[in-house]
Amino acid sequence: MKKTLVSASIVAAFAVGSLAGINISRADLQKSTQEHLVMATNWFQTSAENKALQIQTYNVAKEELAETMVKKIAKDKKNKKKAKPAAVVLDIDETVLDNSPHTAWTIKNNVAYPEGWDEWIHMAKAELIPGAKDFLLAAKKLKVDIYYISNRTEAERADTVKNMKLHGLPNLDEKHLLLKSTTSQKGPRQQEIEKTHEIVMLIGDNANDLSDIFYKADLNTRYNNVDKIAKDLGVKYIQLPNPMYGDFEGAIYNYDFKKTEDQKAADRYNALKTMK
Ligand SMILES: [Mg+2]
């Protein structure tokens, strides 16, 4: 389709009505700095594929955890002195809670994160990621200790707990909910848990939730480091999808979030791998 035809069809599509009270013209779209997030957010919020993938991922995690526990109980019997209780570690945002309504709001208001984020957290109305609660209840049944490691802040603790309690999620006490204090790096908080527990599974939408080998790594290193955990993916390391944001995006900008929206757009464009 020629570009003019695309433009004409977009104008026609948007001219007929308004979206949640916001009228959008082609000119508005061209001025938008958040337009790149529309498709990713559409996919996350409305696609059967995302919902299926999330449930599938948690189904696999549930089965693997049961299997891991059978092996661990046998191993611990032989080695009573060194045996530690099992723990599973989950990220929260886009792993347990769905914050896509916040992303959708930023798009429609042409603002970028963290605009509106505090208000969204305070609303405490995020829905669950499909499959997450089923998994958590199964882990509880298997007597696996559940920890959450999130980069939400202490100031956001009360609203986070409130939101998760509404969904009847387990282990929301201070000891099991490790928020960000000094660093967004999750390894140090995982090591704290490992002082008393054996972490048998880590679940997250950002590769950094699974291992520090991805933390602040450049684009190629980040991509290639997946090979280092390949045999444990789907077993110990459980990766969920999130095309809306994450360190995959940060790596594209070389983690320089002070770049202008235009510079970020250019970085995204330059990161494309083309057919020739
Ligand atoms: Mg997350």
Side-chain angles (χ1 to χ4, degrees):
M1 214 192 297
K2 290 249 172 65
K3 205 181 170 192
T4 47
L5 271 180
V6 175
S7 303
S9 61
I10 288 172
V11 169
F14 286 110
V16 287
S18 67
L19 297 165
I22 302 172
N23 284 300
I24 296 177
S25 67
R26 181 69 189 154
D28 287 333
L29 278 177
Q30 278 168 344
K31 272 187 280 174
S32 170
T33 60
Q34 304 303 315
E35 209 272 334
H36 62 287
L37 283 173
V38 173
M39 190 72 134
T41 308
N42 286 153
W43 187 84
F44 196 87
Q45 293 191 312
T46 67
S47 77
E49 290 77 6
N50 187 34
K51 185 177 178 183
L53 204 47
Q54 289 165 327
I55 292 173
Q56 175 181 293
T57 303
Y58 273 118
N59 279 347
V60 168
K62 216 163 48 176
E63 289 207 3
E64 284 299 327
L65 189 62
E67 217 169 288
T68 299
M69 286 312 290
V70 170
K71 286 182 197 160
K72 180 169 161 53
I73 289 164
K75 187 186 80 182
D76 289 353
K77 263 188 191 163
K78 283 187 200 161
N79 195 0
K80 273 187 183 154
K81 272 188 187 164
K82 284 190 181 166
K84 287 179 183 173
V88 60
V89 177
L90 295 99
D91 167 56
I92 293 178
D93 295 320
E94 277 47 77
T95 297
V96 176
L97 294 180
D98 173 359
N99 302 293
S100 61
H102 169 260
T103 308
W105 178 89
T106 64
I107 297 167
K108 288 196 172 184
N109 289 278
N110 198 24
V111 292
Y113 173 91
E115 195 89 31
W117 180 246
D118 288 347
E119 189 186 344
W120 167 248
I121 300 270
H122 190 59
M123 289 163 87
K125 57 180 263 190
E127 295 293 339
L128 287 172
I129 294 294
K133 186 173 177 179
D134 249 22
F135 170 82
L136 289 164
L137 297 183
K140 196 93 189 151
K141 246 190 179 168
L142 288 165
K143 297 193 168 33
V144 179
D145 214 359
I146 297 160
Y147 283 86
Y148 305 96
I149 299 184
S150 166
N151 285 336
R152 288 189 178 198
T153 63
E154 284 298 335
E156 293 162 344
R157 180 180 288 274
D159 289 325
T160 301
V161 169
K162 181 181 165 193
N163 196 160
M164 292 171 82
K165 266 193 182 156
L166 281 175
H167 295 297
L169 301 182
N171 289 27
L172 300 171
D173 57 290
E174 203 137 326
K175 184 186 149 206
H176 290 92
L177 178 52
L178 306 178
L179 301 178
K180 184 168 97 170
S181 51
T182 48
T183 174
S184 57
Q185 192 173 3
K186 294 195 166 177
R189 281 172 280 171
Q190 291 162 8
Q191 285 155 23
E192 275 304 306
I193 296 167
E194 281 170 331
K195 285 180 183 167
T196 53
H197 288 69
E198 180 185 344
I199 297 177
V200 294
M201 186 174 275
L202 296 120
I203 308 180
D205 64 296
N206 192 333
N208 304 21
D209 299 326
L210 312 182
S211 168
D212 270 359
I213 62 172
F214 300 103
Y215 184 72
K216 297 282 187 235
D218 67 61
L219 205 53
N220 287 331
T221 308
R222 217 170 171 276
Y223 190 82
N224 293 331
N225 276 353
V226 175
D227 295 331
K228 293 187 181 170
I229 60 163
K231 76 172 175 40
D232 289 323
L233 276 169
V235 184
K236 179 179 181 183
Y237 302 114
I238 308 292
Q239 177 71 55
L240 282 156
N242 180 5
M244 299 181 296
Y245 69 89
D247 279 55
F248 82 91
E249 184 188 7
I252 288 173
Y253 310 146
N254 260 319
Y255 303 100
D256 181 0
F257 288 99
K258 290 198 183 101
K259 285 182 176 174
T260 64
E261 293 298 334
D262 280 354
Q263 284 169 328
K264 287 180 190 169
D267 284 352
R268 290 194 296 271
Y269 191 86
N270 289 330
L272 291 170
K273 298 169 182 177
T274 61
M275 57 185 273
K276 59 179 181 176

